[in-house]
Amino acid sequence: PVGRTAAIRAAVSTASMVNIFTTNVNARLLRSFSLAEDTTDGWCQEADLANFLTQDRDRLQPSSAVQKLPRGKEATHATRSDVLESYKLARYASQFVVDEQDIIDDALSALTQMPDAMGERARMLRPDLVYSILLANGNLDQDTTALFHANHNNTQALALNETNIETVIAAMENQTDDGVSLNVRPTHIITAPGLRFTAAQLFGSVERRPGGNTDRLGNINPLPNVAVRSDARIGANGVTDPESGTAYTGAATRWYLAGNGPTIEVGYLAGSGRAPSLRSQALSQGMWGIGWDVKMDVAAKALAYQALQLGNST
């Protein structure tokens, strides 16, 4: 092409130039996706799913106890039962275009701002799905009972402080599955933003100060090494479920404990790299410019209640 305008027109109408633009856009999108914070890392399980069909998650319950074997008798056959949770992948997508006139006018901010914004939004899908599950408190498939329920011994109307956290940890460690003690240990505490500092003091301090009580035994901090996560979604901001569009309200006093057991599984389409994918096009049919669309295939489902505790139900 001869001249600036002709060069730009060629750039937005030939595949080779579109690919060059797309390489840059994809790099920016993935960079913003990887840098955005995700407070569900570490306490949620992940899985790669083969397709969009219903995915069944079988969880075997502990077998019956080993029993005393009388001399000359046959050992009792162990029995196992399973519980089932099911969910499906969903596809989330968006697109944007850069008009040829914007390129001619050097108004290329879309090439830098839109990929960053779309990468950040794609990263928000997972925590939006996970915290929607916590706040919605829907029924588990296995027993048609709410995830956090008195029957599950995992909801405590207690403020976050030194005394109450010990009560909630004890409730988690006393959980059973089909009558078998699980001894679940807490690994993460997830709080509304205003409780992050309290949580950090409770679990991050090396010692406890007895204050004026000289009768306390030592000053070691007996609380386990639990990672602290804070997210505004479970606080006053709430969250909107990307799947249903339902808005859920949190509370400034809300906090959760997650332990070393099945909690919430986040599924991704196998081969996607658990990241969004980008596709480009040169606009046609009476339009001049470059366009991109982005998709991400993801879903989340609560698998069990024993390794989750709701500390304050308000």
Side-chain angles (χ1 to χ4, degrees):
V2 178
R4 179 174 181 275
T5 301
I8 292 173
R9 188 160 294 153
V12 299
S13 61
T14 61
S16 59
M17 292 300 293
V18 170
N19 289 338
I20 292 173
F21 275 113
T22 300
T23 299
N24 178 62
V25 169
N26 189 53
R28 294 192 68 95
L29 183 141
L30 292 179
R31 177 180 179 274
S32 64
F33 176 80
S34 63
L35 291 180
E37 182 184 15
D38 183 354
T39 56
T40 67
D41 279 342
W43 62 272
C44 289
Q45 289 75 53
E46 298 179 351
D48 292 310
L49 309 179
N51 50 50
F52 291 86
L53 299 176
T54 299
Q55 308 291 324
D56 293 331
R57 285 293 177 263
D58 292 305
R59 182 172 59 83
L60 292 176
Q61 293 180 310
S63 62
S64 56
V66 177
Q67 301 178 6
K68 181 179 179 181
L69 177 62
R71 182 174 296 184
K73 300 294 183 179
E74 181 182 0
T76 302
H77 289 277
T79 59
R80 294 188 71 92
S81 58
D82 63 350
V83 293
L84 181 69
E85 297 291 332
S86 302
Y87 70 104
K88 293 181 179 180
L89 274 177
R91 173 162 291 176
Y92 302 89
S94 183
Q95 65 174 323
F96 72 100
V97 299
V98 179
D99 191 89
E100 179 191 78
Q101 296 180 57
D102 291 329
I103 300 177
I104 293 175
D105 294 340
D106 289 330
L108 294 178
S109 60
L111 283 175
T112 57
Q113 296 175 0
M114 288 303 297
D116 290 346
M118 295 181 80
E120 292 171 359
R121 290 303 302 172
R123 188 66 166 177
M124 292 179 185
L125 278 172
R126 169 173 164 159
D128 283 351
L129 289 166
V130 170
Y131 290 120
S132 293
I133 291 174
L134 294 185
L135 294 181
N137 196 26
N139 292 345
L140 293 172
D141 298 335
Q142 58 194 265
D143 59 4
T144 64
T145 302
L147 174 61
F148 299 101
H149 193 276
N151 292 348
H152 291 160
N153 191 31
N154 68 342
T155 177
Q156 319 289 336
L158 297 173
L160 181 60
N161 59 42
E162 178 182 336
T163 301
N164 292 340
I165 193 65
E166 295 175 4
T167 300
V168 176
I169 290 175
M172 174 178 282
E173 294 180 341
N174 285 327
Q175 288 285 17
T176 62
D177 193 5
D178 198 26
V180 177
S181 296
L182 297 178
N183 288 312
V184 180
R185 308 300 186 194
T187 60
H188 293 78
I189 182 170
I190 308 101
T191 75
L195 298 177
R196 176 169 63 91
F197 303 99
T198 301
Q201 289 175 332
L202 287 171
F203 291 102
S205 300
V206 176
E207 61 182 21
R208 284 185 180 179
R209 298 294 176 86
N213 185 358
T214 57
D215 297 329
R216 293 184 66 167
L217 298 176
N219 59 357
I220 187 174
N221 186 358
L223 293 178
N225 185 20
V226 172
V228 177
R229 299 283 188 270
S230 172
D231 201 290
R233 294 173 179 85
I234 63 174
N237 287 3
V239 64
T240 298
D241 188 349
E243 182 177 12
S244 66
T246 304
Y248 297 102
T249 303
T253 56
R254 188 174 289 262
W255 57 281
Y256 298 87
L257 273 185
N260 59 339
T263 54
I264 295 175
E265 179 174 285
V266 180
Y268 301 90
L269 185 64
S272 67
R274 301 177 180 178
S277 61
L278 183 77
R279 183 175 60 177
S280 64
Q281 60 175 322
L283 302 187
S284 61
Q285 304 300 321
M287 300 180 66
W288 288 265
I290 309 174
W292 292 270
D293 52 26
V294 180
K295 70 176 177 69
M296 187 166 182
D297 304 317
V298 62
K301 183 68 170 70
L303 300 184
Y305 64 87
Q306 287 90 342
L308 287 170
Q309 287 279 335
L310 170 58
N312 193 315
S313 58
T314 58

